[in-house]
Amino acid sequence: MAETMITAANLVKRFGDVTAVNNISFSVKKGEVFAFLGPNGAGKSTTIKMLTTLLQPTSGEITLSGFDVVTQQEEARKSFGIVFQDPSVDDELTAKENMWLHAVLYNVPKAEIDTRIKELLTLVELWDRRDSRVKTFSGGMKRRLEIARGLLHHPAVLFLDEPTIGLDTQTRNLLWDYVKSLNKTKHMTIFFTTHYLEEAENIAENIAIIDHGIIIAKGTTETLKKITKTKTLEAAYLKLTGKELRDEAANGTERLKLRYRARGGGIR
Amino acid sequence: MRVIYALWLRQIKRYSRARSRLVGAVGQPLLFLLALGYGLGSVFKRAGGGNYLHFLVPGIMAQTVLFSSMFFGINIIFDRQFGFLKETMVTPVSRLKIMLGSALGGATTSLAQGLLVFIISLFLGFRPYNWVMLLVVILILAMLATALTSFSSGVGAFVNDFQGFQAINQFLIFPLYFLSGALYPLTNAPTALRIIADVNPISYAVDALRAALINQSHYGYTKDFLVLGITMTILVLFGVYRFRRIEA
Ligand SMILES: Nc1ncnc2c1ncn2[C@@H]1O[C@H](COP(=O)(O)OP(=O)(O)O)[C@@H](O)[C@H]1O
Ligand SMILES: [Mg+2]
């Protein structure tokens, strides 16, 4: 049995009377690529925020790389990197300045900083724009910068929260190739969320599907297809979560109705 | 140290790229110097207070640092709104370094503004009694600025919105400023005003500046620096404490 890298046990997060994450448990092995799927508002980002010390769980336990995320925050923070779903770069700084600051915050060896910055900015096709301030970038360019920055230090676990949203196909492929190579060569554990199911199908070894704060299915793509008697991950996913569009701000009763329909409705 | 430097540098760059800020930073103290310095000058002289402009310059320098440092926390709110705060909060860097690095950046720009007021006052005819004392002046302004930018960062860390931050600031800045002896001598002030000034740490910064610039002191250097040092320590700890509790 390989070492476990992430364990979440009976994790709950409430915001007032909204239960964003409702008693979920899972574990991710060292070196594994793990996909966390679910509709908008399912609780994916909230879970990632708890795993990465940004939010305190209402209850439950998390260990990351052997450290308790709640009581040993500083040690836990040493073991992960993250690409957030929402913007987190400094608009007033240039692309290179953002990268450099990140490298210093994560204590990347001095001798490697410049080469890594060049390699990554070239990968995301921003090297020519390295000295432009980020506020002059388009949405897609900012997204690429976020990703490049997230890959700058080489953590034991990398969290990617919808990293490819708003990116073109070429860039998405480049990103996943790079992530896969980090996973292979550095044995980096990858935990990601996405709405592009083919990405999960292609690279994830294990998948958990979360809906309304509850994990409704776990396993490999094969397992999920088998239990839902479907042929693709997408079909399995739709069968498990229902077909309705979700709005992140959907209120409680609306969600309840959606849920009923999701459970009852037959899907092709 | 490299982390503190990197975060310091970020604030310096951000500040220097927003040039319009400088106009506001200098305009207000200049207005105070001209309106009060010249407007009240003759009354002050007749009352036997000497040259009011000379008396006022240390007060306006303290004011400049007070106002700009107390607004530094707005940067934390912006960082939260624009998302950058998350980036620093997940790093393994200690909250002390994160808070201090940024606050020192803000303190540096405040200090620079305070010194700019000093340079402007030279054009209005102000002269320090001893130029060497300028080093002491820099020390005092740096301590005051560090104390207040740390405090303000702490406030920015737990107030989520711009309006709330402004409200707290308005509530604090004006009493701290007007009841500090920045504008009038404490020696002859009514007892009530004097007692309030005695518990206001800004009074001691103003007093130390006045001692260093025009050799005129109400409390004496020892007391001034003691109060300034203790205030700075407490406010830095306050800032760090609030940073430890940020949720993003
Ligand atoms: N800070 C917050 N305050 C209140 N509710 C929140 C907060 N963050 C998330 N939520 C709610 O929690 C639920 C899960 O959100 P989130 O984890 O962002 O979902 P996902 O990332 O799966 O789209 C949503 O209903 C969302 O509105
Ligand atoms: Mg999300």
Side-chain angles (χ1 to χ4, degrees):
Chain A
M1 267 283 291
E3 228 179 296
T4 27
M5 197 59 176
I6 310 170
T7 343
N10 309 106
L11 204 54
V12 176
K13 181 69 190 181
R14 281 190 205 101
F15 296 107
D17 51 10
V18 175
T19 306
V21 172
N22 194 355
N23 199 21
I24 65 171
S25 302
F26 59 85
S27 69
V28 179
K29 289 198 268 301
K30 189 164 189 277
E32 185 175 321
V33 180
F34 187 90
F36 201 47
L37 307 178
N40 281 334
K44 303 179 299 293
S45 294
T46 304
T47 304
I48 289 188
K49 283 182 185 163
M50 287 191 282
L51 296 176
T52 56
T53 74
L54 280 174
L55 279 178
Q56 295 276 332
T58 306
S59 64
E61 271 159 36
I62 310 165
T63 49
L64 204 142
S65 202
F67 299 108
D68 185 315
V69 170
V70 177
T71 58
Q72 297 170 288
Q73 287 191 333
E74 210 146 305
E75 290 86 346
R77 286 185 185 125
K78 286 200 178 111
S79 25
F80 69 80
I82 175 165
V83 173
F84 297 101
Q85 180 182 341
D86 311 318
S88 69
V89 286
D90 187 339
D91 272 10
E92 294 294 330
L93 298 183
T94 67
K96 211 170 149 197
E97 285 166 347
N98 267 291
M99 295 290 277
W100 181 79
L101 181 57
H102 184 90
V104 174
L105 289 173
Y106 282 92
N107 205 14
V108 174
K110 242 186 183 153
E112 279 179 49
I113 293 182
D114 288 340
T115 30
R116 278 201 212 168
I117 290 179
K118 184 164 185 198
E119 181 195 359
L120 285 163
L121 286 183
T122 309
L123 177 83
V124 298
E125 290 172 4
L126 286 176
W127 180 244
D128 292 341
R129 296 294 304 274
R130 62 188 177 276
D131 292 322
S132 305
R133 277 196 243 174
V134 175
K135 68 174 173 194
T136 66
F137 283 11
S138 69
M141 291 164 79
K142 285 186 192 175
R143 196 71 205 139
R144 269 141 54 198
L145 177 63
E146 297 259 352
I147 291 168
R149 192 184 61 178
L151 301 173
L152 190 54
H153 68 295
H154 294 158
V157 189
L158 182 62
F159 292 96
L160 302 159
D161 196 356
E162 297 188 28
T164 49
I165 208 151
L167 295 182
D168 56 44
T169 316
Q170 289 89 331
T171 317
R172 277 166 52 194
N173 291 341
L174 279 173
L175 164 75
W176 288 119
D177 286 345
Y178 196 86
V179 167
K180 247 191 284 186
S181 81
L182 284 175
N183 169 254
K184 289 281 168 299
T185 58
K186 312 262 173 197
H187 215 53
M188 195 183 286
T189 308
I190 311 289
F191 185 108
F192 73 98
T193 75
T194 184
H195 287 300
Y196 301 104
L197 294 167
E198 71 277 11
E199 291 178 349
E201 191 155 15
N202 288 340
I203 89 155
E205 293 154 57
N206 270 299
I207 294 170
I209 297 179
I210 183 172
D211 196 7
H212 303 293
I214 297 168
I215 291 184
I216 51 173
K218 266 191 285 202
T220 61
T221 304
E222 290 313 312
T223 330
L224 295 176
K225 284 194 265 191
K226 209 176 285 165
I227 49 176
T228 51
K229 303 195 179 65
T230 49
K231 292 208 168 58
T232 61
L233 180 61
E234 180 152 355
Y237 173 83
L238 287 174
K239 193 154 183 179
L240 286 160
T241 58
K243 279 202 300 187
E244 294 82 357
L245 282 178
R246 302 289 172 80
D247 183 26
E248 293 206 39
N251 67 33
T253 46
E254 257 176 281
R255 283 150 134 276
L256 222 62
K257 270 189 262 168
L258 280 171
R259 184 141 182 208
Y260 267 95
R261 274 186 277 156
R263 291 286 173 281
I267 283 108
R268 267 183 298 141
Chain B
M1 274 319 281
R2 228 155 69 86
V3 167
I4 292 184
Y5 167 70
L7 290 168
W8 173 86
L9 189 62
R10 167 173 181 254
Q11 295 299 341
I12 303 292
K13 282 179 178 159
R14 285 174 64 91
Y15 186 83
S16 62
R17 282 168 197 181
R19 285 204 198 92
S20 59
R21 279 195 223 174
L22 208 61
V23 180
V26 180
Q28 196 181 36
L30 186 63
L31 190 67
F32 269 80
L33 278 175
L34 293 175
L36 294 177
Y38 291 124
L40 293 175
S42 55
V43 183
F44 196 75
K45 197 169 220 157
R46 244 178 286 141
N51 184 328
Y52 187 52
L53 185 76
H54 281 207
F55 177 84
L56 194 60
V57 166
I60 302 298
M61 286 169 71
Q63 177 204 342
T64 308
V65 171
L66 171 70
F67 282 39
S68 72
S69 302
M70 286 290 279
F71 274 102
F72 177 72
I74 213 82
N75 289 293
I76 310 299
I77 293 172
F78 283 146
D79 279 355
R80 186 199 300 278
Q81 262 166 20
F82 291 103
F84 185 80
L85 193 66
K86 295 193 291 278
E87 155 80 353
T88 44
M89 295 327 279
V90 293
T91 60
V93 175
S94 79
R95 309 296 105 158
L96 172 71
K97 285 184 187 169
I98 295 176
M99 199 290 293
L100 210 55
S102 305
L104 287 175
T108 306
T109 57
S110 289
L111 169 65
Q113 286 174 36
L115 291 175
L116 202 58
V117 171
F118 173 76
I119 292 167
I120 291 171
S121 71
L122 293 177
F123 288 101
L124 300 179
F126 179 79
R127 292 290 174 273
Y129 84 97
N130 181 350
W131 281 92
V132 176
M133 295 306 282
L134 207 53
L135 294 173
V136 181
V137 170
I138 291 173
L139 177 68
I140 299 162
L141 291 180
M143 288 174 78
L144 180 66
T146 305
L148 296 174
T149 49
S150 299
F151 172 75
S152 188
S153 304
V155 174
F158 76 86
V159 181
N160 292 329
D161 63 308
F162 195 80
Q163 284 82 4
F165 181 84
Q166 291 282 62
I168 293 179
N169 251 3
Q170 302 292 339
F171 178 77
L172 289 173
I173 286 184
F174 287 100
L176 282 173
Y177 173 54
F178 286 115
L179 303 174
S180 69
L183 301 175
Y184 47 82
L186 292 174
T187 323
N188 308 317
T191 320
L193 269 187
R194 227 171 40 229
I195 293 172
I196 297 174
D198 286 351
V199 296
N200 176 359
I202 305 301
S203 308
Y204 298 84
V206 170
D207 192 60
L209 284 171
R210 208 163 270 148
L213 285 167
I214 61 170
N215 198 17
Q216 189 179 317
S217 178
H218 179 67
Y219 299 113
Y221 271 129
T222 319
K223 213 169 175 184
D224 287 342
F225 273 98
L226 204 65
V227 173
L228 211 49
I230 293 170
T231 307
M232 187 175 80
T233 312
I234 293 173
L235 295 186
V236 168
L237 292 175
F238 167 80
V240 177
Y241 172 75
R242 298 301 339 177
F243 258 64
R244 289 228 166 95
R245 299 167 55 107
I246 290 183
E247 286 203 337

